[in-house]
């Protein structure tokens, strides 16, 4: 350690920006800083010794080499106990305990605003007692980043400037919460970090010391730290099939009560959540069918956003296993072509909600049996584009604005099954209310199939066959 301290002192003396010419000057400055109860890392910072191994080692050899007594048990009045190897270790352990597989992280650090006031107080003290100007003091946040980075490196995690995973480190210190109050009272400025730093920069030494002590007064408590991690979402896309009725696309809850027992999002999303260990997830489909409508054919495009996932690496095979498991267990919801997709790819799926055409097959009952002439008339009409005027259906008026929307049917075909039951196939643009087209919705959809057939009609079953 002695060689580490010697090397740090030698580097400081050789720096063209150094204010020190001899080791004795450094020792005198260190002694003055030590008397303020500053911690070893704040002493190094205000001596303007650059980052290096000396910041990583224990305090005793440093104090011995600089001729200082042991550090006070009191919390450092400058950094409020933030610059501490145990704190850095605690932050790293908190991150690793969350089981993220990220090998690179960024650090977001929030310190009490009183840190900036106390930093200025110590700058003034150094200028007055060591006869040096300390304008290039190593920043407290940068120092903590350096310490945490060393601890994370022990877990094979690198700290970088930008990546998709950020450790948020926030410190609070109630004891010094009013340190900034004199600045707020003087200028009626906002009590924000930016405003406080700006005011401190503009404030003269004399003006500052008229309101705040130099060196900074002692404290009896250490800053409290909270650590959380946030990671960019990942997206799993594919197509889903719904082979049974009474399954909603997402949980269908009214006044705290589930209307359907199952949902597509839960059947597919829960195993994906278990795989990625995400906090939560959202499912977005390229449109949606009602709970009592099956989704057949090649399925409906969808994606699941995994929010704050802990695992994002080597997912492909496990995601394929989810698809296989749904198939082999005869799940009422199946998935096709499940895969991790890029965030920008989700726009394609969202656009499909409004831009794609949809193919439907409906079992329709008419109050009167239709003649062959009427069937031929409807089928001839269905060979051409039909423009509907659809008002917001009665069944959704409680949650959607009462608007009138033009919608197009691109194809319509009807065939008799037996009695008064008919199979109707429809190709329509996205956003068409098919049930309302069949029965007319009390005249709110014009024309309707019931109107074209001159007979009241109702829809018994509806399937989506192609999206």
């Amino acid at each position: 350690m002695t060689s580490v301290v010697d090397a740090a002192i030698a580097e400081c003396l050789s720096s063209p920006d150094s204010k020190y010419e001899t080791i004795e000057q450094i020792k005198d400055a260190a002694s003055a800083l030590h008397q303020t109860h500053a911690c070893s890392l704040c002493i190094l910072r205000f001596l303007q010794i650059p980052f290096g191994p000396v910041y990583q080692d224990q305090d005793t050899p440093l104090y011995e080499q600089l001729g200082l007594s042991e550090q006070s048990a009191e919390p450092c009045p400058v950094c409020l106990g933030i610059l501490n190897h145990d704190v850095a270790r605690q932050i790293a352990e908190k991150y690793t305990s969350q089981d993220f597989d990220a090998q690179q992280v960024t650090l977001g650090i929030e310190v009490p605003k009183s840190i900036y006031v106390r930093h200025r107080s110590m700058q003034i003290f150094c200028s007055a007692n060591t006869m040096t100007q300390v304008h290039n003091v190593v920043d407290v946040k940068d120092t903590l980043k350096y310490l945490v980075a060393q601890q994370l490196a022990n877990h094979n995690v690198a700290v970088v400037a930008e990546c998709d995973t950020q450790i948020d480190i926030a410190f609070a210190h109630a004891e010094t919460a009013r340190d900034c109050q004199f600045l707020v009272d003087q200028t009626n400025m906002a009590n924000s970090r930016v405003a406080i730093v700006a005011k401190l920069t503009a404030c003269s030494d004399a003006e500052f010391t008229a309101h705040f002590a130099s060196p900074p007064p002692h404290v009896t408590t250490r800053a409290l730290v909270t650590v959380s991690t946030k990671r960019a979402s990942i997206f799993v896309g594919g197509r889903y099939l719904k082979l049974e009725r009474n399954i909603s696309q997402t949980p269908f809850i009214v006044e705290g009560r589930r209307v359907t027992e199952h949902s597509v999002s839960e059947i597919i999303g829960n195993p994906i959540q278990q795989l990625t260990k995400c906090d939560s997830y959202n499912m977005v489909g390229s449109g949606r069918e009602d709970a009592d409508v099956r989704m057949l054919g090649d399925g409906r495009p969808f994606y699941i956003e995994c929010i704050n996932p802990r695992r994002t690496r080597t997912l492909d095979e496990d995601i394929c296993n989810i698809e296989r498991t749904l198939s082999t267990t005869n799940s009422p919801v199946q998935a096709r072509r499940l895969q991790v997709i890029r965030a920008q790819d989700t726009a394609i799926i969202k656009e499909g909600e409004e831009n794609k055409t949809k193919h439907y097959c409906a079992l329709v009952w008419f109050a009167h049996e239709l003649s062959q002439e009427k069937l031929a008339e409807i089928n001839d009409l269905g060979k051409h584009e039909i423009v509907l005027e659809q008002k917001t259906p009665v069944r959704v008026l409680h949650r959607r604005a009462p608007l009138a929307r033009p919608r197009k049917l691109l194809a319509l075909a009807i065939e008799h099954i037996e009695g008064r039951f008919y199979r109707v196939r429809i190709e329509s643009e996205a956003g068409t209310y098919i049930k309302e087209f069949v029965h007319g919705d009390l005249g709110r959809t014009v024309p309707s199939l019931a109107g074209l057939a001159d007979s009241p009609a109702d829809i018994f079953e509806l399937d989506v066959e192609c999206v």
Side-chain angles (χ1 to χ4, degrees):
M1 173 64 184
T2 301
S3 61
V4 170
V5 176
D6 288 341
I9 291 174
E11 183 177 358
C12 180
L13 290 173
S14 63
S15 171
D17 297 325
S18 175
K19 304 298 181 182
Y20 305 106
E21 296 180 355
T22 66
I23 189 172
E24 293 304 319
Q25 288 179 327
I26 291 179
K27 287 184 176 181
D28 289 344
S31 178
L33 291 166
H34 185 57
Q35 290 173 19
T36 70
H37 294 263
C39 66
S40 60
L41 295 176
C42 282
I43 290 174
L44 291 172
R45 290 195 305 124
F46 280 88
L47 289 176
Q48 302 176 79
I49 291 178
F51 290 140
V54 70
Y55 277 80
Q56 302 172 35
D57 290 297
Q58 300 303 311
D59 300 330
T60 300
L62 172 66
Y63 288 133
E64 290 177 351
Q65 188 70 3
L66 294 177
L68 307 175
S69 60
E70 285 298 318
Q71 181 175 341
S72 168
E74 293 181 13
C76 174
V78 187
C79 72
L80 307 178
I82 289 173
L83 300 182
N84 182 290
H85 293 290
D86 289 337
V87 171
R89 191 175 302 111
Q90 176 187 348
I91 292 168
E93 290 174 353
K94 175 66 174 178
Y95 169 74
T96 56
S97 71
Q98 296 175 87
D99 204 24
F100 284 87
D101 66 359
Q103 295 179 311
Q104 292 184 330
V105 298
T106 61
L107 301 180
I109 299 175
E110 180 183 348
V111 298
K113 291 187 282 288
S114 57
I115 286 283
Y116 304 103
V117 175
R118 288 171 174 268
H119 180 94
R120 176 65 185 278
S121 172
M122 186 59 89
Q123 281 184 309
I124 294 172
F125 172 80
C126 290
S127 297
N129 290 273
T130 65
M131 292 177 290
T132 62
Q133 298 294 319
V134 284
H135 296 302
N136 298 317
V137 176
V138 178
D139 181 74
V140 64
K141 288 186 180 182
D142 290 339
T143 307
L144 182 64
K145 285 182 180 180
Y146 180 80
L147 298 178
V148 174
Q150 301 306 311
Q151 293 292 333
L152 287 172
N154 296 331
H155 301 278
N156 298 315
V157 178
V159 174
V160 296
E162 291 185 10
C163 69
D164 66 357
T165 305
Q166 177 167 305
I167 304 175
D168 288 320
I169 306 164
F171 290 91
H173 194 251
E175 187 179 348
T176 60
R178 292 188 60 82
D179 280 6
C180 308
Q181 193 60 43
F182 75 95
L183 296 171
V184 177
D185 293 342
Q186 278 183 334
T187 60
N188 293 320
M189 67 177 188
N191 187 18
S192 67
R193 181 189 65 82
V194 173
I196 285 169
V197 170
K199 178 58 181 175
L200 286 170
T201 302
C203 187
S204 68
D205 290 354
E207 185 181 0
F208 180 91
T209 54
H211 298 279
F212 198 87
S214 178
H218 295 185
V219 293
T220 60
T221 57
R222 299 181 184 276
L224 300 178
V225 61
T226 57
V227 181
S228 61
T229 305
K230 60 185 179 184
R231 194 179 203 176
S233 295
I234 62 169
F235 301 87
V236 178
R239 286 176 171 263
Y240 75 80
L241 287 81
K242 193 173 73 177
L243 306 180
E244 295 180 9
R245 305 190 191 279
N246 297 317
I247 299 175
S248 55
Q249 189 181 79
T250 55
F252 190 4
I253 301 172
V254 177
E255 296 181 351
R257 183 181 63 85
R258 287 197 70 132
V259 178
T260 58
E261 182 179 359
H262 302 294
S263 71
V264 175
S265 68
E266 290 168 309
I267 291 173
I268 299 177
N270 285 349
I272 290 176
Q273 181 176 30
Q274 293 172 10
L275 173 63
T276 62
K277 301 179 181 179
C278 59
D279 289 347
S280 59
Y281 62 85
N282 294 321
M283 178 177 178
V284 177
S286 182
R288 66 169 62 217
E289 69 286 336
D290 290 339
D292 61 349
V293 176
R294 294 188 300 178
M295 179 65 240
L296 306 177
D298 197 33
R300 183 184 296 275
F302 77 97
Y303 69 83
I304 287 179
E305 178 187 7
C306 301
I307 299 169
N308 203 28
R310 280 145 183 79
R311 182 185 173 196
T312 65
R313 299 165 56 203
T314 62
L315 293 176
D316 293 344
E317 182 58 31
D318 290 325
I319 286 176
C320 289
N321 284 337
I322 291 174
E323 182 177 326
R324 283 192 288 267
T325 299
L326 291 173
S327 177
T328 57
T329 57
N330 296 318
S331 168
V333 173
Q334 301 284 311
R336 297 287 185 269
R337 300 195 286 280
L338 274 185
Q339 58 191 291
V340 176
I341 62 175
R342 301 172 301 171
Q344 55 265 41
D345 294 333
T346 62
I348 301 172
I349 295 173
K350 290 178 181 177
E351 289 169 3
E353 184 173 0
E354 295 298 328
N355 299 331
K356 286 182 177 290
T357 59
K358 314 292 174 69
H359 295 253
Y360 300 89
C361 181
L363 176 62
V364 178
W365 171 88
F366 289 94
H368 311 293
E369 190 168 334
L370 306 186
S371 66
Q372 290 300 317
E373 291 77 11
K374 180 58 70 174
L375 291 178
E377 179 184 328
I378 295 173
N379 283 324
D380 286 342
L381 185 65
K383 294 175 182 178
H384 307 281
E385 184 179 283
I386 303 172
V387 179
L388 310 180
E389 188 72 16
Q390 288 200 310
K391 294 181 180 178
T392 302
V394 172
R395 63 188 172 95
V396 298
L397 269 175
H398 65 286
R399 56 186 170 88
R400 295 197 177 176
L403 301 174
R405 303 173 180 85
R407 289 291 184 260
K408 296 176 183 178
L409 297 190
L410 306 178
L412 171 66
I414 184 170
E415 62 178 339
H416 184 231
I417 300 176
E418 64 177 25
R420 288 177 283 175
F421 288 93
Y422 295 80
R423 183 72 63 196
V424 179
R425 297 187 182 278
I426 302 167
E427 180 184 355
S428 72
E429 69 172 333
T432 306
Y433 292 107
I434 300 300
K435 292 177 180 178
E436 282 65 29
F437 164 69
V438 169
H439 56 63
D441 197 28
L442 303 175
R444 300 175 65 83
T445 291
V446 179
S448 66
L449 184 58
L452 296 175
D454 296 322
S455 172
D458 204 355
I459 187 165
F460 271 49
E461 292 180 349
L462 180 63
D463 295 329
V464 184
E465 295 189 321
C466 181
V467 176

